[in-house]
């Protein structure tokens, strides 16, 4: 499997996960099931708007990467989009790393995000940053 195909397929899987999160968050909020505890973390309805905004932004990005970008890119605007995505993912990965290094607390609404979640955040965002920069630098043959 070539790297172009792998990135597109990973973006499609990520799209499905984000859609599932979006639907389940809306359903849980609508059913009045908040507050709830998952893996020892208490989720309240105050975090729902922030989760929905984050999910919508991720959904737009992953749909574009999975279905909209033809790799290798040939248009300057797509190259610019990939570079911008790469920088954003790099900044997020560095923020997760700084959070782990300094033990910083992070809250989304009233939800306190556990430190272990930043390890996953580093791996995922660092890979998407690398892939974005890699595919932005490739030239069409």
């Amino acid at each position: 499997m070539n790297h172009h195909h792998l990135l597109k397929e990973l973006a499609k899987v990520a799209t499905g996960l984000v859609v599932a999160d979006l639907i389940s968050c809306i359903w849980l909020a609508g059913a009045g099931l908040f507050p709830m505890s998952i893996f020892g973390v208490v989720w309240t309805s105050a975090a729902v708007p922030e989760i929905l905004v984050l999910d919508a932004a991720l959904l737009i990005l992953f749909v574009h990467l999975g279905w909209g970008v033809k790799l290798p890119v040939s248009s300057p605007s797509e190259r610019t989009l990939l570079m911008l995505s790469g920088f954003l993912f790099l900044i997020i990965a560095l923020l997760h790393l700084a959070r782990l290094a300094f033990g910083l607390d992070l809250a989304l609404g009233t939800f306190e995000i556990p430190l272990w979640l930043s390890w996953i955040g580093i791996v995922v965002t660092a890979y998407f940053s690398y892939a974005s920069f890699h595919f932005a630098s490739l030239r069409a043959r």
Side-chain angles (χ1 to χ4, degrees):
M1 177 182 292
N2 64 29
H3 293 289
H4 302 164
H5 187 67
L6 179 63
L7 177 67
K8 289 173 112 21
E9 292 306 311
L10 285 174
K12 290 175 183 178
V13 168
T15 299
L17 292 173
V18 171
V19 167
D21 184 59
L22 189 67
I23 291 170
S24 62
C25 185
I26 292 170
W27 178 75
L28 290 169
L33 297 175
F34 287 111
M36 65 181 349
S37 177
I38 301 174
F39 299 118
V41 177
V42 178
W43 294 79
T44 65
S45 59
V48 172
E50 290 93 351
I51 293 170
L52 295 179
V53 168
L54 177 64
D55 282 350
L58 287 173
L59 187 62
I60 290 167
L61 180 65
F62 288 138
V63 165
H64 183 68
L65 285 175
W67 289 276
V69 174
K70 304 296 183 229
L71 296 173
V73 296
S74 56
S75 94
S77 62
E78 286 182 340
R79 187 167 277 102
T80 301
L81 177 66
L82 282 173
M83 291 297 287
L84 179 62
S85 297
F87 279 118
L88 290 174
F89 281 124
L90 179 62
I91 289 168
I92 294 169
L94 291 174
L95 288 172
H96 278 292
L97 185 62
R99 179 173 185 244
L100 288 171
F102 299 113
L104 301 173
D105 292 331
L106 180 64
L108 183 64
T110 60
F111 170 65
E112 184 72 29
I113 299 173
L115 279 174
W116 62 264
L117 205 52
S118 284
W119 286 108
I120 296 169
I122 289 172
V123 171
V124 170
T125 57
Y127 173 74
F128 275 111
S129 176
Y130 160 76
S132 296
F133 287 132
H134 175 74
F135 291 119
S137 68
L138 291 179
R139 302 287 180 208
R141 296 176 189 168

